[in-house]
């Protein structure tokens, strides 16, 4: 008999159950649970359906400790989770253009080897952005080798008045919990979702960017007949990227930000997600407090540089 419930979906579990000839234990992530059966996703991606009548014992496994993060891998993963409209490469360096909407979607990502001297790679980047009628910008991990190398080529702060952006990460188990509110998930956001996500007019290119990831979901919480909070989740490998988190002004300080991130974590956990990241401005104290309570820690921070 199972001691698991829907609250445990997305968590790692161990299930002892009968098979022909005896008993066996299955360790994996609980993908679904109802009155008839459990569905458990093994680490190899195989989903096992187990009738409840065959279960002799089942329980959650303690959450995994927060392991050190591969910063180089995460740096690239963040770009894949929110792909730009147009891309090109200089060696391994990624050039992105999205009609000027967001710095992330319209900047050079210097990850890996450009295959040519840095100065030559930057000239190619300038040509790319000139073609797209955009300023040449680079998203730079603060303190990284390319931070120094690109500055040495004469690039300067693009937004000197803005604080650093923190990229934070944690193990999905730390975030995954039963949300205090019902979180609705959909593959296709509607106009109401976009109206909540943006304070003003929705940039024309925003849907193409936000809906462009191979595996994404759009979360919302409705209270008093109004969409009160929204967020987006995207899976890249075993990483869940969380972005576009916004709580309507009339509904703040009610824990909706926490709930909607937890809802995304449950979605990702059932798909085999193991880790999660998000981005937040260093001076956004309210959001930082929420994310730290959920177990997120800083992986690195970035700024934007631009050619003179």
């Amino acid at each position: 008999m199972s001691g698991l419930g829907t609250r445990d979906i997305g968590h790692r579990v161990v299930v002892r159950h009968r098979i022909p000839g005896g008993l066996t234990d299955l360790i994996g992530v609980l993908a679904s649970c109802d009155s008839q059966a459990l569905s458990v996703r093994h680490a190899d991606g195989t989903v096992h359906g187990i009738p409840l009548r065959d279960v002799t014992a089942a329980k959650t496994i303690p959450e995994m400790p927060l392991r050190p993060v591969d910063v180089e891998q995460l740096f690239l993963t963040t770009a894949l989770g929110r792909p730009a409209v147009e891309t090109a490469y200089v060696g391994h360096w990624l050039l992105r253009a999205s009609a000027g909407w967001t710095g992330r979607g319209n900047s050079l990502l210097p990850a890996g080897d450009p295959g040519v001297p840095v100065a030559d790679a930057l000239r190619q980047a300038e040509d790319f952005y000139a073609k797209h009628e955009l300023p040449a910008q680079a998203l730079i991990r603060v303190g990284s080798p390319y931070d120094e190398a690109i500055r040495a080529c004469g690039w300067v702060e693009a937004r000197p008045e803005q604080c650093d952006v923190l990229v934070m990460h944690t193990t999905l188990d730390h975030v995954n919990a039963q949300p205090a509110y019902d979180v609705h998930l959909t593959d296709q956001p509607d106009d109401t979702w976009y109206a909540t996500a943006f304070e003003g007019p929705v940039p024309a290119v925003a849907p193409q960017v936000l809906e462009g990831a191979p595996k994404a979901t759009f979360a919302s919480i409705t209270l008093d007949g109004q969409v009160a909070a929204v967020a987006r989740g995207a899976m890249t490998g075993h990483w869940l990227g969380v972005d576009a988190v916004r709580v309507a002004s009339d509904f703040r300080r009610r824990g909706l930000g926490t709930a909607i991130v937890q809802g995304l974590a449950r979605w990702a956990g059932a798909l085999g997600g193991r880790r999660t990241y998000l981005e937040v401005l260093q001076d956004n104290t309210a959001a930082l407090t929420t994310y730290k309570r959920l177990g997120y820690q800083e992986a690195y921070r970035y700024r934007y540089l631009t050619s003179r």
Side-chain angles (χ1 to χ4, degrees):
M1 185 174 185
S2 171
L4 303 175
T6 56
R7 67 187 180 282
D8 301 310
I9 291 174
H11 283 286
R12 291 189 306 147
V13 297
V14 57
V15 180
R16 176 162 292 183
H17 60 287
R18 301 181 186 88
I19 59 173
L23 295 172
T24 189
D25 290 334
L26 176 63
I27 295 176
V29 174
L30 185 64
S32 65
C33 174
D34 59 31
S35 61
Q36 301 297 317
L38 303 176
S39 178
V40 178
R41 183 183 298 274
H42 190 262
D44 65 6
T46 304
V47 178
H48 298 263
I50 307 172
L52 284 187
R53 64 177 179 273
D54 293 336
V55 176
T56 61
K59 63 179 182 179
T60 57
I61 298 174
E63 63 189 29
M64 297 175 65
L66 184 57
R67 304 185 307 276
V69 66
D70 183 334
V71 172
E72 288 287 346
Q73 179 200 57
L74 181 55
F75 191 51
L76 181 58
T77 297
T78 61
L80 299 176
R82 187 166 165 170
V85 174
E86 297 184 57
T87 59
Y89 285 90
V90 179
H92 293 153
W93 284 15
L94 176 63
L95 298 165
R96 302 172 291 182
S98 301
W101 183 63
T102 79
R104 282 178 287 177
N106 297 274
S107 58
L108 162 68
L109 191 82
D113 183 359
V116 296
V118 169
D120 292 342
L122 293 177
R123 280 191 286 272
Q124 292 186 49
E126 289 173 335
D127 291 343
F128 173 85
Y129 288 109
K131 175 183 175 182
H132 288 84
E133 300 181 342
L134 294 168
Q137 290 192 119
L139 189 158
I140 301 296
R141 283 195 296 115
V142 174
S144 68
Y146 284 133
D147 185 354
E148 180 179 349
I150 293 175
R151 289 178 189 271
C153 291
W155 286 45
V156 297
E157 296 277 352
R159 306 175 184 183
E161 75 289 349
Q162 187 181 87
C163 63
D164 293 340
V165 179
L166 306 186
V167 178
M168 307 182 76
H169 75 107
T170 190
T171 300
L172 203 65
D173 285 347
H174 288 244
V175 184
N176 196 344
Q178 181 74 45
Y181 300 90
D182 290 333
V183 179
H184 175 70
L185 302 174
T186 181
D187 294 337
Q188 186 68 44
D190 59 16
D191 291 343
T192 304
W193 189 95
Y194 278 109
T196 307
F198 292 86
E199 292 188 22
V202 179
V205 75
Q208 190 173 353
V209 172
L210 294 176
E211 299 173 37
K215 188 182 295 184
T217 193
F218 298 83
S220 61
I221 296 174
T222 299
L223 294 179
D224 302 328
Q226 178 180 340
V227 176
V230 296
R232 171 184 177 272
M235 289 288 292
T236 304
H238 67 272
W239 281 97
L240 164 68
V242 176
D243 68 352
V245 179
R246 186 165 182 270
V247 178
S249 58
D250 292 343
F251 296 94
R252 290 172 184 164
R253 292 187 173 86
R254 299 192 193 181
L256 272 68
T258 294
I260 207 160
V261 175
Q262 289 171 332
L264 290 173
R266 289 168 64 79
W267 169 78
L271 295 174
R274 299 309 324 139
R275 309 191 80 168
T276 172
Y277 68 87
L278 49 76
E279 302 184 8
V280 60
L281 285 168
Q282 185 181 6
D283 62 2
N284 190 341
T285 304
L288 272 174
T289 299
T290 295
Y291 299 146
K292 286 179 179 179
R293 285 175 179 166
L294 285 167
Y296 284 92
Q297 296 182 14
E298 179 182 336
Y300 63 88
R301 55 186 62 194
Y302 69 79
R303 299 184 69 84
Y304 291 98
L305 301 182
T306 187
S307 60
R308 290 183 184 275

